[in-house]
């Protein structure tokens, strides 16, 4: 039904808060033919959707020679697999996303889902520099604008860290305004805490815990409002849902994901598990959609 497929290991980025480059080493990409062969085996076993995994997946292939391997080339190669219905990938880095990726997603849009997870982490350039993220607020917005222009269906999710070393109240305000401007369909929000062995360990963790909690709550409130507004805009639409499970609270209801990775609940039986259903959205909450099948 659904499977995860790692296409890179390690990371060449040096974000000061992250331990991955020091535990997993430099980024190593798998050859396109190896990834395609594994994907074919998964499809032969009944998998309909594959999620490609990489710490910074947009740099896939840099160590193999970009003339031979890149994320767009890999997506196009996987696109040719008969029986593979959906392709997703995570995690995207704003500095590495190029227009070719958005064009590939658009051109292969019947299989490559219009969804990316692209962490912003913070909204003030000074904080991004201390994080060693390698991009500015302006660059992040440019990437979002390009993605939405070239692949109009696309939805974006993000990560945010509040209370990073040296983050002032004014810095945090910039994270809130960036969140409002980008309007991701969901976000993972974290309170900063020191990770042993990271460069940030040498910085002073000087934001009080109470301030971190308050900032986390404020950012989460904004995101929840945005999610609710976006989900309510889906009411009346018909979503193509890959059915993943029976509801944990109601055995007569099913749960699945739309093309843009929204969680959708609707009435149905176990016979639909692992298949696609067309669901008309009738209700929306901040975190999911509810609806009725239209192809029953």
């Amino acid at each position: 039904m659904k499977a995860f497929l790692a296409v890179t290991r390690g990371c060449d980025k040096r974000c000061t808060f992250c331990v991955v480059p020091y535990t997993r080493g430099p980024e190593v990409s798998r050859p396109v033919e190896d990834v395609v062969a594994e994907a074919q085996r998964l499809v032969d076993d009944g998998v309909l959707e594959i999620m490609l995994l990489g710490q910074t997946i947009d740099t896939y292939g840099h160590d193999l020679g970009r003339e031979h391997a890149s994320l767009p080339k890999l997506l196009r190669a996987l696109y040719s697999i008969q029986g593979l219905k959906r392709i997703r990938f995570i995690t995207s880095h704003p500095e590495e996303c190029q227009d070719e990726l958005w064009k590939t997603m658009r051109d292969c849009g019947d299989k490559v889902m219009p969804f990316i997870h692209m962490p912003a982490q913070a909204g003030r350039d000074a904080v991004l520099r201390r994080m060693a993220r390698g991009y500015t607020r302006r660059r992040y917005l440019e990437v979002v604008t390009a993605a939405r222009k070239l692949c109009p269906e696309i939805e974006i999710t993000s990560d945010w860290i509040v209370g990073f070393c040296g983050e002032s109240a004014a810095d945090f305000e910039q994270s809130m305004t960036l969140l409002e401007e980008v309007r991701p369909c969901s976000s993972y929000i974290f309170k900063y805490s020191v990770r042993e062995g990271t460069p940030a360990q040498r910085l002073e963790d000087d934001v009080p815990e109470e301030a971190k909690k308050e900032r986390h709550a404020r950012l989460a409130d904004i995101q929840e409002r945005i999610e609710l507004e976006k989900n309510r805009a889906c009411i009346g639409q018909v979503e193509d849902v890959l059915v993943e499970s029976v509801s944990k609270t109601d055995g007569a209801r099913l749960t699945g994901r739309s093309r843009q990775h929204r969680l959708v609940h609707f009435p149905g039986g176990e016979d639909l598990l692992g298949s696609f259903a067309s669901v008309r959205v009738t209700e929306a909450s901040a975190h999911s959609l509810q609806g009725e099948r239209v192809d029953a």
Side-chain angles (χ1 to χ4, degrees), residues 9-78:
R9 178 176 175 81
C11 185
D12 291 341
K13 301 295 182 185
R14 290 294 185 268
C15 303
T16 56
F17 54 80
C18 183
V19 74
V20 168
Y22 310 101
T23 58
R24 298 185 186 174
E27 184 177 300
V28 178
S29 305
R30 297 177 60 189
V32 171
E33 56 269 25
D34 288 1
V35 176
V36 171
E38 183 172 349
Q40 182 66 67
R41 289 193 293 272
L42 290 169
V43 171
D44 291 343
D45 287 339
V47 168
L48 298 176
E49 177 179 309
I50 290 177
M51 175 76 84
L52 307 177
L53 304 177
Q55 188 71 23
T56 307
I57 198 163
D58 316 275
T59 57
Y60 168 80
H62 75 103
D63 53 331
L64 303 175
R66 289 300 177 93
E67 69 277 13
H68 303 296
S70 66
L71 181 57
K73 286 184 174 64
L74 178 60
L75 293 174
R76 291 183 183 276
L78 293 169

Side-chain angles (χ1 to χ4, degrees), residues 49-122:
E49 177 179 309
I50 290 177
M51 175 76 84
L52 307 177
L53 304 177
Q55 188 71 23
T56 307
I57 198 163
D58 316 275
T59 57
Y60 168 80
H62 75 103
D63 53 331
L64 303 175
R66 289 300 177 93
E67 69 277 13
H68 303 296
S70 66
L71 181 57
K73 286 184 174 64
L74 178 60
L75 293 174
R76 291 183 183 276
L78 293 169
Y79 181 84
S80 64
I81 296 178
Q82 296 295 316
L84 178 57
K85 302 299 184 182
R86 287 184 171 183
I87 305 166
R88 302 186 191 273
F89 55 90
I90 56 172
T91 298
S92 290
H93 191 286
E95 188 56 31
E96 302 297 341
C97 294
Q98 304 297 325
D99 287 356
E100 184 185 359
L101 175 60
W102 316 132
K103 293 174 182 177
T104 299
M105 294 176 71
R106 177 197 64 202
D107 295 346
C108 302
D110 55 323
K111 285 190 179 183
V112 180
M113 296 297 96
F115 166 84
I116 60 162
H117 181 65
M118 187 172 67
Q121 305 295 14

Side-chain angles (χ1 to χ4, degrees), residues 136-290:
T136 62
R137 176 194 181 100
R138 179 178 178 179
R139 169 61 181 165
Y140 188 89
L141 288 169
E142 288 173 349
V143 173
V144 169
T145 299
R148 288 173 170 163
K149 177 181 178 181
L150 295 172
C151 185
E153 272 193 277
I154 202 166
E155 280 287 8
I156 297 167
T157 62
S158 189
D159 288 346
W160 305 84
I161 296 174
V162 299
F164 187 71
C165 309
E167 182 187 71
S168 66
D171 292 335
F172 174 67
E173 290 284 341
Q174 290 297 300
S175 289
M176 289 195 294
T177 59
L178 182 59
L179 177 59
E180 291 274 18
E181 192 165 354
V182 173
R183 291 177 61 81
C185 63
S186 68
S187 288
Y188 298 95
I189 303 168
F190 305 92
K191 293 181 296 179
Y192 175 71
S193 60
V194 179
R195 293 291 183 268
E196 187 175 351
T198 61
Q201 190 176 12
R202 299 191 295 268
L203 302 175
E204 184 181 359
D205 183 13
D206 55 355
V207 179
E209 184 63 24
E210 283 304 310
K212 291 179 182 179
K213 290 180 180 178
E214 189 249 350
R215 292 173 189 180
H216 182 281
R218 292 176 68 188
L219 211 60
D221 284 347
I222 294 171
Q223 179 61 60
E224 185 161 342
R225 171 175 52 77
I226 291 170
E227 286 183 51
L228 183 57
E229 291 169 356
K230 281 179 165 277
N231 284 351
R232 282 177 173 168
C234 295
I235 293 175
Q237 294 180 4
V238 175
E239 300 286 348
D240 188 25
V241 177
L242 176 56
V243 185
E244 297 181 355
S245 63
V246 176
S247 170
K248 294 178 181 178
T249 58
D250 184 349
R253 294 181 67 80
L254 300 172
T255 295
R257 295 279 179 177
S258 71
R259 285 170 47 81
Q260 292 158 321
H261 211 248
R262 287 188 169 93
L263 197 62
V264 183
H265 307 291
F266 64 99
E270 291 188 13
D271 58 306
L272 291 175
L273 290 175
S275 65
F276 288 94
S278 296
V279 178
R280 188 180 304 281
V281 180
T282 56
E283 300 177 52
S285 66
H287 305 297
S288 66
L289 306 175
Q290 296 80 43

